[in-house]
Amino acid sequence: MTARGIALAATAGILLGTGFRYGYPDLALLGAAAGIAVVAALVFAFWRPRLGVARVAEPDRVARGEPADVTLTISNTSKVRAASLIATDRCGAATVDVPLLRLRAGHDTVESYPVPTHRRGLVPIGPLHVTRRDPLGLITLNRAYGGTTIVRVYPRVHPMRAVPAGLTRSLDGRVDKVPQGSITFDTLREYVPGDELRRVHWRSSAKVGELMVREQLDTSEPQIVVLLDDRATAHRGDSFEDACEAAASIVVAAVREDLPVTLHLVAATLSGPHLDVLTEATLGDGDLDATLRHLRAQKLGDTLIFLTGPGGRDDLGALSGLRSAYPIALAGILGDRDSSPAAPTDRLLVIEAADGAEFAAAWDGVRGW
């Protein structure tokens, strides 16, 4: 109820009470008229329009800065009257006005508007809020229609041509880099249509009585582990956004080359597709030493990529201590290229870049993985 409605209802009570108590029919009549106006406003505002709301985001996954649109279809499913309403649709942190003028029964209207994709993250769309006001402005009622759609704004991906070289381990303990990889027997399985006949193991097939096929794996293929530093103390300005872009670029390049890659965060524990994790990642408090101890114990791969901000420069020494578990280690410092550069060593490669695009260019320039 608006301030006008509250005042009119109070006035109606006072007039009715005064009129009946002291015998003033005119005051009682005015009070009754004011009371009828309040009741009529309540009936008008509480009439619930029957609306069907369908919302489609196209696309619902988009890289930062790329266009995305929402198409909103609103149907008047009532059978009696047309509806003229004031509607707004939630779009992230903003609201979008949706005009609903004389929407006749059984008809619908379609509205489209762009989704803000200038920042990485989740953009909730909806629900549709419909506001009903009576003609005298005594009552205002807000109702929600439809569900919520989520648009995922991924970090921007920069093209990378280079990928780390593979490693082969001999029986005497040596580790050599093998750019082209090697093939090693893994197991046998039953033949399925489409398998190459040259991979059939005829001796085993004769023993079993059906065709058996050799499964092989590449023991020298690089196992990439990306560690994204999401500690608030490690970043300044937009350096975390730049680090997310660098991580997304590495993940996409690895998937393009069909290389196994895992993504880990220091402060948070998120699961799901890597780009979804990078979309939801936020700054927090974490223990880098504990994370490094976990990576050393697990030995999740042979190539470790550590992405941090200006505040993580002092932690590179701890990262170089993982070289025994990860023969190839690279650190990327995003957002602080102008300060004194950290020199690469035989234990750790270092890339310093102002943003994700510069990191991708420097990545392609790395020699001697």
Side-chain angles (χ1 to χ4, degrees):
M1 184 172 286
T2 64
R4 181 186 300 177
I6 295 174
L8 187 61
T11 302
I14 294 172
L15 291 175
L16 284 171
T18 303
F20 282 109
R21 181 175 180 81
Y22 297 104
Y24 290 101
D26 293 340
L27 293 180
L29 182 61
L30 290 175
I36 292 173
V38 172
V39 173
L42 288 171
V43 173
F44 183 88
F46 274 86
W47 171 74
R48 185 182 183 93
R50 299 175 58 186
L51 299 178
V53 177
R55 184 183 291 101
V56 177
E58 184 62 35
D60 60 353
R61 285 172 166 80
V62 63
R64 184 166 71 91
E66 294 184 354
D69 296 297
V70 170
T71 301
L72 190 64
T73 302
I74 305 172
S75 305
N76 185 355
T77 59
S78 62
K79 300 179 180 180
V80 179
R81 54 176 297 180
S84 293
L85 307 169
I86 301 173
T88 57
D89 201 28
R90 175 191 175 198
C91 184
T95 57
V96 178
D97 293 332
V98 180
L100 296 177
L101 301 177
R102 302 294 301 172
L103 182 58
R104 292 182 295 172
H107 290 71
D108 55 35
T109 182
V110 179
E111 295 290 335
S112 296
Y113 57 86
V115 178
T117 61
H118 59 282
R119 297 292 293 180
R120 172 191 61 87
L122 303 178
V123 182
I125 311 295
L128 182 73
H129 287 273
V130 175
T131 302
R132 289 276 296 165
R133 293 189 178 94
D134 67 286
L136 298 178
L138 306 180
I139 301 292
T140 299
L141 194 64
N142 189 294
R143 291 189 178 96
Y145 290 85
T148 301
T149 300
I150 300 295
V151 176
R152 295 180 178 270
V153 181
Y154 290 152
R156 186 181 290 114
V157 175
H158 303 282
M160 289 180 171
R161 297 186 302 273
V163 293
L167 299 173
T168 183
R169 294 168 175 80
S170 62
L171 295 178
D172 59 4
R174 293 186 300 105
V175 177
D176 299 318
K177 296 180 180 179
V178 183
Q180 301 302 325
S182 63
I183 299 299
T184 302
F185 171 79
D186 182 34
T187 186
L188 291 173
R189 62 170 174 82
E190 295 182 4
Y191 173 86
V192 296
D195 287 334
E196 298 181 6
L197 291 179
R198 61 189 178 92
R199 293 174 54 192
V200 173
H201 196 272
W202 297 106
R203 183 175 299 178
S204 298
S205 300
K207 292 180 179 179
V208 175
E210 57 184 63
L211 291 179
M212 303 297 292
V213 177
R214 291 189 301 269
E215 279 283 358
Q216 295 171 315
L217 54 83
D218 190 348
T219 58
S220 67
E221 139 180 290
Q223 308 282 326
I224 302 174
V225 179
V226 179
L227 177 60
L228 176 63
D229 192 352
D230 58 342
R231 297 173 299 161
T233 56
H235 294 277
R236 291 197 297 266
D238 288 335
S239 64
F240 183 62
E241 299 300 319
D242 297 326
C244 288
E245 291 184 7
S249 302
I250 295 171
V251 167
V252 170
V255 172
R256 183 193 67 232
E257 298 296 331
D258 200 21
L259 298 178
V261 58
T262 58
L263 175 66
H264 301 268
L265 305 178
V266 175
T269 303
L270 299 175
S271 60
H274 295 331
L275 289 181
D276 286 355
V277 171
L278 291 173
T279 300
E280 300 176 26
T282 57
L283 292 175
D285 298 325
D287 188 348
L288 179 62
D289 292 335
T291 302
L292 295 181
R293 286 195 299 268
H294 172 75
L295 292 178
R296 182 185 294 108
Q298 295 294 322
K299 294 184 179 180
L300 302 176
D302 54 32
T303 302
L304 176 63
I305 312 296
F306 177 59
L307 301 172
T308 186
R313 184 184 300 274
D314 296 335
D315 298 315
L316 298 186
L319 183 70
S320 62
L322 269 67
R323 188 64 187 272
S324 59
Y326 297 86
I328 298 176
L330 181 144
I333 303 176
L334 281 298
D336 193 22
R337 178 173 50 84
D338 294 334
S339 60
S340 57
T345 66
D346 58 345
R347 301 181 64 84
L348 183 66
L349 298 172
V350 180
I351 293 179
E352 298 195 45
D355 53 27
E358 188 173 305
F359 176 86
W363 171 282
D364 285 339
V366 171
R367 295 293 181 265
W369 281 99

